[in-house]
Amino acid sequence: MQEPSPRETEVLELVGSRLSNRQIGERLYISVRTVESHVASLIRKLEVADRRELVTYASEQKVDASGIAASRVRDNLPLPRSSFIGRGVERGRLQEMVLREPLITLTGIGGCGKTRLALEVASGLVGDFDDGVFFIDLSAVTDSTLVGPAVSGALKLQILDPTPDALADYFEDRETLLVVDNCEHLLDACADVADALLERCPRTRILATSREALGVDGEWVFPVPSLDIEGEAVALFGERALSARPDLQLDSTSEATIVEICRRLDGIPLAIELAAARAAHLSITEILERLNDRFRLLVGGSRRVQRQQTLTAALDWSYDLLGPDERSLLGRLAVFRGSFSLSAAEAICHPQALELVGSLVDKSLVSVIDRGGDVRYRLFESVRLYADGKLVETGESEQFRSAHRDYYLEWIESLPLDVRGHRVLGTLLLVPEADNLTAALEWCRHQGRYDLCACIAANMSSYWFAFYRASEMKAWWRQLEAGIPAEDYDHRAKALLVGGWAALRALEWEELNKRSAQALALADPHSWVGMEAQYLQAVCWSVTDPPRGDDAFERLFEIEANIGGSPYPVAHDLFYVSRLQRATSGEEALAILDDWIVDVGDSTPTTYMPVAFALYGETQTALELMSRAALLPRGLPLGQFVNELHQTVWASTQAKFDEAERHLATLTAFVRDFAVARGEAACLVGFAKVALDRGDFGRASHLLATVDSRFGPGNRSLGDPTVALVYAHCKGVLGEFINLEIT
């Protein structure tokens, strides 16, 4: 490995910070073409595959680009699970086209490698889009009205009603690449979104995959060809066969047989990989012999039909190798969306799933996902669709989709109160099953079982809230509102919880008040539904009518005590923060803080407490509380917002201004990327707090005046209780300063 030159080291530092080529050129005062030359040289010298690996290398080597204040390029591209073979010409051509053309659609049959090629192209362009590169998988979306929510959900945006025009509003001034995968079953909806973005978003690029073109003006259709037989296809088969059986001996005779296998499979990657996996149990010659009879039928017809039949034949061939129980299980596994656990497969599909799933993994029909010891399984989408057809043929489709629905309904309702209901901290447990829960909801809707929809959706509301999935929550609320009769009190109360959480995420206080009050009137006050409705009511009143909010929180605490289980700490925090905002003297504020300390006792506090104590000058107590406070999980978007906001205030009160401004920069980027309601107010108040602690009263006054002019003064306009508390604190300090100046 050659050592980079000094100039190349500078470029490497900036690549490690995920700056685009243009940004690097501006920093080093060199042309973009020169930057491209240095990047290519670094890839060669450091022996990495592409720019994405170069970024990883820089991070692992702890390359530090300190002092560079540029926005970091974001992406959510999934990491590849296997090596990418071939497609060099197509990849290079597509990367050039994506930079030039607004919409490119990769077309071809399922299994031809559209998704993998799109991801490889996108990974090489991460540094060329200042506002990020994002992957949007539509495979789990069956309703055309949910395409917009899928786009906003993949980017974790809070767009209440993500119509094509609303998405165009968001992307209008952004330089973004969207990789939209599996469009074929949602062509009209995808075309509407693409059309709106092409018309109004000149710097946004779309790279779509579909079995057919979207049919939008300005679309470039790129048919994904089969692999080159004697080069790419043979290399793919050889690598996958050796992976299945490492001691496999490949010589000139076997290579000729492999060429024939790849030719019979038309160079289609999925078919080749399925065939190569059989090398674990069959010889190369036996694999070829088993293809002979099956593909004798594929003669004549159009090229497109031949390819579809070829893929179907490859899947049929793999299916024919299965035993009766394996075939039965494979069909039933089609009811899952995304990944699934072994216990779910055993409960829903087959009691002997342990052995059978392992056998299907060995035959490459099911993949394994191991995240830190949490093993889950997944069907490749082409295999899942094939298996779904087999399930329909058996006449078992409705039976096992209903079993899937019942399993996930029982699962989510069996979770402890610390997870479901308004326990936002527990929503991370729902993440692996989110696709399955959505599939269960869609099956309920298909059957017209809105009562069961309400049961699942009510338990998912805190998940949607914590992950800024406001549009999804709002869409389900509309359907539940229309689908559940008024006399069905129990399920209507649960539906109203969904509507209440949607209103809270949007800071629609009147709607929140109405829906939570209606839910309270319908629900058993000592049920978890009544408790959650009481929580929503308390939050609403703490903002719109604080004294009434105190009473509502007290009632909530009584319900918690009656139901049992651990108290919800954030509810207690909001109660005390609301009281602090109305304190008329320092003595009253200190008394409230004392009550708060007693209430928490030896429990682990959240970061609300030390921040509040620091604002009121209780530095030592604040330090002790912060030392044992629990940050919200980083994997929770809501946690990212709260943590960055609290860390900003905490650092500023300790005169750690550089640290505070770093947290503010992260907070500002988060607010922008997630389109957080009233998020700009949070940032402005944070900047005002830092300015005030620096002694820059003029800047602080200007920032607070900006908040007042844009949002109006008061808790109701600011939304987040911490923002309102810091706002009131800053106003108070400024008032004291002005009075001193006057006297």
Side-chain angles (χ1 to χ4, degrees):
M1 184 174 69
Q2 301 179 46
E3 289 293 325
S5 68
R7 175 61 86 179
E8 288 170 346
T9 300
E10 292 177 332
V11 172
L12 180 61
E13 291 177 351
L14 300 178
V15 168
S17 293
R18 301 175 85 91
L19 270 65
S20 67
N21 288 343
R22 176 173 57 78
Q23 289 174 313
I24 294 172
E26 291 172 353
R27 293 288 172 185
L28 300 180
Y29 302 98
I30 56 179
S31 68
V32 173
R33 187 173 295 276
T34 301
V35 176
E36 292 171 350
S37 175
H38 286 314
V39 170
S41 177
L42 285 165
I43 290 173
R44 184 183 69 257
K45 288 183 177 181
L46 299 177
E47 300 175 359
V48 296
D50 52 29
R51 186 189 186 103
R52 198 175 190 189
E53 287 192 12
L54 196 64
V55 172
T56 302
Y57 175 90
S59 176
E60 290 174 349
Q61 297 299 313
K62 298 181 180 179
V63 174
D64 180 21
S66 59
I68 298 172
S71 61
R72 297 172 65 84
V73 175
R74 297 173 58 246
D75 77 86
N76 69 343
L77 301 179
L79 294 175
R81 300 192 187 105
S82 58
S83 59
F84 184 76
I85 296 175
R87 307 287 199 198
V89 173
E90 292 91 345
R91 182 168 49 178
R93 183 182 171 199
L94 279 167
Q95 286 182 340
E96 294 178 359
M97 291 177 67
V98 168
L99 294 173
R100 186 178 67 247
E101 306 298 339
L103 169 61
I104 300 169
T105 303
L106 306 186
T107 60
I109 63 168
C112 70
K114 302 183 295 292
T115 299
R116 188 64 191 275
L117 178 57
L119 288 171
E120 286 296 317
V121 170
S123 68
L125 295 173
V126 168
D128 292 282
F129 289 86
D130 291 349
D131 295 303
V133 176
F134 299 95
F135 180 70
I136 301 153
D137 183 5
L138 299 180
S139 61
V141 179
T142 58
D143 188 337
S144 61
T145 63
L146 296 178
V147 169
V151 175
S152 63
L155 275 71
K156 299 181 175 62
L157 303 177
Q158 186 202 17
I159 301 177
L160 298 181
D161 192 9
T163 62
D165 284 340
L167 291 171
D169 287 340
Y170 178 81
F171 289 109
E172 189 167 10
D173 296 319
R174 287 172 165 81
E175 188 176 34
T176 309
L177 171 60
L178 303 177
V179 182
V180 188
D181 195 36
N182 291 300
C183 299
E184 56 270 2
H185 59 301
L186 300 161
L187 284 176
D188 290 342
C190 292
D192 289 342
V193 171
D195 210 20
L197 296 183
L198 261 63
E199 183 176 355
R200 295 176 49 197
C201 309
R203 298 198 301 159
T204 294
R205 299 288 183 266
I206 303 172
L207 181 60
T209 74
S210 177
R211 295 187 184 184
E212 58 184 293
L214 303 185
V216 175
D217 288 342
E219 177 185 27
W220 282 72
V221 179
F222 190 100
V224 177
S226 296
L227 296 174
D228 171 69
I229 299 298
E230 296 191 6
E232 299 170 336
V234 169
L236 176 62
F237 185 99
E239 178 168 311
R240 301 300 191 259
L242 286 170
S243 176
R245 195 168 86 196
D247 62 346
L248 183 67
Q249 300 297 314
L250 299 177
D251 53 25
S252 57
T253 302
S254 61
E255 183 174 349
T257 306
I258 293 172
V259 169
E260 184 61 19
I261 291 171
C262 293
R263 182 174 287 112
R264 297 287 186 88
L265 296 176
D266 288 346
I268 298 174
L270 177 59
I272 291 169
E273 296 205 21
L274 288 169
R278 300 297 169 259
H281 309 288
L282 302 172
S283 70
I284 302 300
T285 301
E286 286 175 324
I287 293 173
L288 178 59
E289 289 172 352
R290 286 180 176 270
L291 287 177
N292 286 337
D293 290 340
R294 183 58 62 183
F295 281 84
R296 191 171 294 167
L297 297 173
L298 302 180
V299 178
S302 70
R303 184 172 179 82
R304 177 182 176 188
V305 172
Q306 285 180 342
R307 286 187 175 182
Q308 182 60 44
Q309 289 174 337
T310 299
L311 179 60
T312 302
L315 291 167
D316 279 338
W317 168 70
S318 295
Y319 187 77
D320 289 343
L321 292 176
L322 302 177
D325 286 343
E326 290 173 326
R327 293 181 186 181
S328 178
L329 178 64
L330 181 65
R332 295 170 185 178
L333 291 177
V335 302
F336 290 106
R337 298 281 182 84
S339 64
F340 58 90
S341 66
L342 181 61
S343 59
E346 289 173 325
I348 298 170
C349 302
H350 202 293
Q352 273 73 52
L354 173 61
E355 292 78 12
L356 294 173
V357 168
S359 179
L360 294 175
V361 169
D362 291 341
K363 293 176 172 63
S364 297
L365 289 168
V366 174
S367 60
V368 180
I369 305 170
D370 188 350
R371 296 192 178 100
D374 180 21
V375 177
R376 295 177 66 82
Y377 302 89
R378 187 185 189 105
L379 270 68
F380 294 111
E381 184 60 16
S382 293
V383 176
R384 191 189 72 80
L385 293 172
Y386 176 86
D388 186 56
K390 294 297 182 183
L391 185 64
V392 172
E393 288 176 12
T394 65
E396 296 181 325
S397 180
E398 183 165 351
Q399 173 190 345
F400 283 96
R401 291 192 188 285
S402 296
H404 174 274
R405 172 204 67 200
D406 294 342
Y407 174 87
Y408 281 102
L409 173 58
E410 182 180 355
W411 175 80
I412 198 169
E413 289 196 322
S414 69
L415 294 174
L417 288 178
D418 287 353
V419 176
R420 59 194 178 98
H422 61 273
R423 305 311 209 248
V424 173
L425 291 176
T427 58
L428 286 174
L429 293 180
L430 271 62
V431 173
E433 302 294 4
D435 287 339
N436 282 308
L437 290 165
T438 301
L441 280 169
E442 291 176 355
W443 183 245
C444 291
R445 178 178 57 192
H446 172 77
Q447 295 180 310
R449 294 297 305 273
Y450 287 100
D451 54 339
L452 301 185
C453 263
C455 294
I456 297 174
N459 282 289
M460 288 185 69
S461 293
S462 58
Y463 162 79
W464 286 324
F465 182 87
F467 281 81
Y468 290 87
R469 305 286 287 269
S471 58
E472 193 171 348
M473 186 163 35
K474 191 171 185 178
W476 281 110
W477 155 243
R478 287 171 177 168
Q479 296 189 45
L480 292 170
E481 184 183 27
I484 297 179
E487 60 272 16
D488 186 351
Y489 296 157
D490 180 47
H491 296 105
R492 191 148 190 90
K494 292 177 180 177
L496 284 161
L497 292 185
V498 180
W501 278 102
L504 178 57
R505 174 48 69 211
L507 302 181
E508 296 171 347
W509 303 115
E510 287 76 11
E511 286 300 312
L512 175 57
N513 183 31
K514 180 175 73 174
R515 294 169 194 173
S516 59
Q518 289 174 347
L520 271 174
L522 297 176
D524 176 355
H526 297 291
S527 67
W528 76 267
V529 177
M531 180 175 64
E532 187 170 346
Q534 183 66 41
Y535 170 76
L536 292 173
Q537 185 92 126
V539 172
C540 178
W541 285 342
S542 71
V543 172
T544 59
D545 189 352
R548 197 176 182 187
D550 290 349
D551 295 337
F553 273 120
E554 294 283 6
R555 174 61 180 151
L556 172 66
F557 303 150
E558 291 175 6
I559 296 174
E560 282 185 334
N562 290 333
I563 290 179
S566 60
Y568 182 41
V570 173
H572 291 249
D573 291 339
L574 298 182
F575 171 65
Y576 286 104
V577 167
S578 175
R579 290 179 61 196
L580 283 172
Q581 291 175 55
R582 289 173 282 131
T584 57
S585 67
E587 291 76 13
E588 183 182 354
L590 291 176
I592 294 170
L593 293 174
D594 288 340
D595 291 344
W596 198 351
I597 284 284
V598 172
D599 189 8
V600 171
D602 295 330
S603 302
T604 301
T606 69
T607 53
Y608 281 93
M609 283 193 72
V611 166
F613 274 81
L615 286 174
Y616 285 91
E618 296 295 305
T619 307
Q620 286 303 116
T621 305
L623 284 168
E624 190 276 329
L625 287 168
M626 184 58 85
S627 68
R628 59 189 181 96
L631 292 174
L632 289 171
R634 293 293 300 173
L636 205 64
L638 177 63
Q640 296 177 43
F641 176 84
V642 172
N643 290 342
E644 295 302 335
L645 177 60
H646 288 184
Q647 291 290 338
T648 295
V649 178
W650 176 249
S652 184
T653 57
Q654 294 183 297
K656 298 178 180 179
F657 301 121
D658 291 344
E659 180 181 336
E661 288 175 350
R662 284 196 298 272
H663 287 297
L664 267 175
T666 305
L667 178 67
T668 302
F670 180 91
V671 164
R672 177 177 179 267
D673 293 336
F674 283 75
V676 178
R678 300 291 193 274
E680 187 182 355
C683 297
L684 288 169
V685 170
F687 280 111
K689 170 62 175 168
V690 174
L692 202 63
D693 290 339
R694 284 184 180 274
D696 190 345
F697 293 95
R699 175 172 169 76
S701 179
H702 173 74
L703 288 166
L704 292 175
T706 303
V707 172
D708 291 344
S709 64
R710 292 187 185 179
F711 305 101
N715 193 12
R716 185 186 181 95
S717 301
L718 299 174
D720 185 272
T722 304
V723 177
L725 185 62
V726 177
Y727 170 88
H729 165 78
C730 292
K731 281 282 192 178
V733 173
L734 271 177
E736 292 176 4
F737 170 75
I738 292 170
N739 289 335
L740 286 173
E741 287 291 297
I742 293 173
T743 57

